[in-house]
Amino acid sequence: MSEGRLSEFLQEISQDLDRSVKFWTDNSHDQENGGFFNCLGEKGEVYDDLKHVWLQGRQVWTYCRLYNECERFRTSEIIQAAIRGGEFLMKHAKVSSSSQKCALVLTRDGKPIKVQRTVFSECFYVMGMSELSRATGEKQYRNEALTMMDQIVHWVMEDNTELRFGTPTLPGQVPVSSLAIPMMLLCLIDQLETSVPDLGEKYSYVSEWSLKYALMHVQRDGTVILENVSPDGKELPGSVGRLMLPGHSIEAGWFLLQYARKKGIEDLKKTAIEKFILNPFSYGWDKEYGGLLYFLDVDGYSPTQLEWDMKLWWAHNEAMIAFLIAYQETKDTSFLDKFAHVFDYSYAKFVDKENGEWYGYLSREGKVSLRFKGGPWKGCFHVERCLLMCENILKNLIQNKV
């Protein structure tokens, strides 16, 4: 692939990043209460003022990462909005003063509405607070991140009773190990190391645990990544055991590849690229209409998720990142070709150049199904993280002529 083509990618991605960030800075800031409006329509209109804690933490992280790593976003507007978002989370995200458990959804002024029996609100709390500490130098945000991280590790590795709110395990429940947990912990440790390098050593045992449990999801002689397995790494019966999420596997792949590069683990690099990135891309890419399918059944049955054949923005974001990192590592030009393939599909289908940001949800045929730009699960995060990372990698490739 020519340097000129890489420059074209870079120019388009940089312009898209500027448009997308402007979309959120123009429309999402709640000046009265702090935090961010997540539910924004096609042109940025607020259609619901509920605040989703995953997305609050993600937007704090995104603003701070942009501020920390991209000169043109090092503005007072960006950092002040991030601080107000972080303060809103510190004040309102936890459901009680005696617990670290965070809500899933809050009212506009911060009253909890809904709680999940998972650790993901807390994970994005850690990400936001850690990067906010890096941006501001304020230790209170770092302390918040570390306290919450230790609580997450306790819940995941020692005792999750608090997450279940006293509800007993039902007789028919089968223990499940989800890929989301180990990959999220690897992401958090990478985040904390970015802010404070010595923390990698503190959490090395968590990294080892996460690596072990992530690799359990490589099943059927390495040909598939199953989303759910038993705690001892066996395939589960039924639809839950046959479930595959190609985009999720690819995201886990670039997390693992980053970890392997940092630690110099050659066999893990190969596993990350071949098993977690290439295989899921191969079986997840829709040969008829293009784009990555959302859910798949490993045995070819119709997945039970009604939205299984939709094309979602974030999976394509993850594939763009993964293929550029894979090329950085291997210099195999086939990865640039695959990046271009995903880029071309995404910029033809998801990107709104007129109003900014990406549409999130397409039909199998590639038509926009939902016209909003922000909702309960889509906020200021996946698009912006992808574009920033791709911009930085492409700049490096062009400068080094590789």
Side-chain angles (χ1 to χ4, degrees):
M1 185 173 293
S2 69
E3 184 177 322
R5 181 70 165 128
L6 294 181
S7 296
E8 290 174 5
F9 288 139
L10 176 59
Q11 181 179 13
E12 188 69 59
I13 283 170
S14 296
Q15 291 174 351
D16 192 19
L17 180 57
D18 290 346
R19 286 194 303 264
S20 296
V21 174
K22 186 176 187 299
F23 178 88
W24 294 101
T25 55
D26 283 355
N27 301 301
S28 71
H29 299 177
D30 184 350
Q31 301 296 346
E32 180 181 352
N33 297 282
F36 308 102
F37 297 116
N38 307 131
C39 296
L40 302 182
E42 186 172 27
K43 297 181 179 180
E45 62 276 19
V46 178
Y47 65 86
D48 194 322
D49 64 7
L50 294 180
K51 293 177 177 175
H52 303 267
V53 172
W54 286 29
L55 304 183
Q56 299 293 310
R58 285 171 165 181
Q59 190 157 348
V60 171
W61 179 88
T62 300
Y63 275 11
C64 291
R65 182 57 63 97
L66 290 166
Y67 182 87
N68 287 330
E69 297 194 356
C70 194
E71 183 67 35
R72 69 185 186 276
F73 296 115
R74 198 160 295 148
T75 67
S76 59
E77 180 185 19
I78 290 282
I79 193 60
Q80 289 304 315
I83 290 170
R84 284 171 57 80
E87 293 289 335
F88 180 85
L89 281 170
M90 287 175 60
K91 185 175 181 181
H92 299 296
K94 297 168 192 173
V95 295
S96 75
S97 59
S98 61
S99 173
Q100 292 293 307
K101 190 73 191 80
C102 291
L104 177 68
V105 184
L106 305 169
T107 61
R108 177 177 179 174
D109 59 356
K111 296 182 181 67
I113 298 174
K114 185 182 291 187
V115 178
Q116 278 186 317
R117 297 174 186 176
T118 65
V119 296
F120 299 113
S121 290
E122 294 77 15
C123 288
F124 296 116
Y125 188 96
V126 170
M127 286 185 66
M129 290 300 169
S130 174
E131 196 69 14
L132 184 57
S133 173
R134 184 180 170 215
T136 63
E138 292 291 337
K139 290 184 178 179
Q140 62 171 330
Y141 303 132
R142 175 189 171 188
N143 292 340
E144 282 288 320
L146 293 179
T147 299
M148 186 64 80
M149 181 65 179
D150 290 341
Q151 181 64 74
I152 292 168
V153 171
H154 173 78
W155 283 331
V156 170
M157 297 179 63
E158 298 175 28
D159 182 5
N160 68 354
T161 303
E162 186 179 1
L163 293 180
R164 293 188 282 111
F165 296 95
T167 303
T169 301
L170 297 174
Q173 281 183 280
V174 176
V176 174
S177 178
S178 166
L179 177 60
I181 297 295
M183 64 178 280
M184 193 70 235
L185 288 180
L186 284 174
C187 177
L188 292 184
I189 293 166
D190 180 73
Q191 169 60 45
L192 293 172
E193 280 187 300
T194 301
S195 180
V196 184
D198 292 346
L199 289 175
E201 183 63 29
K202 173 183 176 181
Y203 292 110
S204 60
Y205 72 103
V206 183
S207 296
E208 292 168 4
W209 181 95
S210 301
L211 184 58
K212 172 186 173 182
Y213 278 85
L215 294 176
M216 283 182 178
H217 294 264
V218 183
Q219 295 284 327
R220 301 200 179 187
D221 297 322
T223 60
V224 297
I225 305 296
L226 296 181
E227 191 68 16
N228 305 300
V229 295
S230 70
D232 60 350
K234 300 294 192 302
E235 187 171 330
L236 295 166
S239 297
V240 69
R242 298 193 304 267
L243 183 65
M244 301 188 298
L245 275 73
H248 214 203
S249 301
I250 292 168
E251 182 180 16
W254 72 257
F255 287 176
L256 289 166
L257 182 53
Q258 279 194 320
Y259 179 83
R261 295 176 78 192
K262 189 183 302 182
K263 302 296 182 182
I265 308 173
E266 295 302 321
D267 59 343
L268 181 58
K269 292 178 186 177
K270 184 177 180 180
T271 296
I273 291 172
E274 293 181 359
K275 309 302 184 187
F276 281 86
I277 297 174
L278 284 176
N279 281 358
F281 183 76
S282 177
Y283 56 67
W285 191 261
D286 187 338
K287 307 302 189 294
E288 183 174 359
Y289 295 105
L292 282 164
L293 294 161
Y294 191 10
F295 294 103
L296 289 173
D297 183 295
V298 71
D299 287 334
Y301 294 104
S302 294
T304 57
Q305 293 80 8
L306 300 182
E307 68 275 31
W308 73 270
D309 63 349
M310 293 183 75
K311 313 294 170 59
L312 270 63
W313 84 104
W314 64 266
H316 298 76
N317 292 151
E318 305 310 331
M320 287 171 62
I321 295 168
F323 287 128
L324 281 187
I325 296 176
Y327 174 73
Q328 267 191 318
E329 175 59 31
T330 65
K331 302 302 184 290
D332 181 342
T333 57
S334 69
F335 292 120
L336 286 182
D337 293 338
K338 288 181 172 60
F339 167 81
H341 196 48
V342 179
F343 177 96
D344 289 342
Y345 177 87
S346 298
Y347 276 75
K349 304 294 186 180
F350 287 106
V351 176
D352 183 355
K353 293 185 178 181
E354 180 180 354
N355 298 299
E357 250 289 340
W358 290 29
Y359 297 105
Y361 304 87
L362 309 180
S363 68
R364 182 174 183 183
E365 296 77 13
K367 297 180 180 179
V368 176
S369 292
L370 302 170
R371 303 203 71 83
F372 62 73
K373 298 291 180 50
W377 306 108
K378 182 182 184 295
C380 178
F381 178 64
H382 282 103
V383 169
E384 292 71 26
R385 178 176 71 171
C386 168
L387 298 179
L388 178 63
M389 291 183 69
C390 290
E391 179 181 275
N392 288 338
I393 294 170
L394 287 166
K395 283 181 179 178
N396 179 269
L397 294 177
I398 292 167
Q399 288 169 1
N400 292 289
K401 299 185 183 301
V402 293

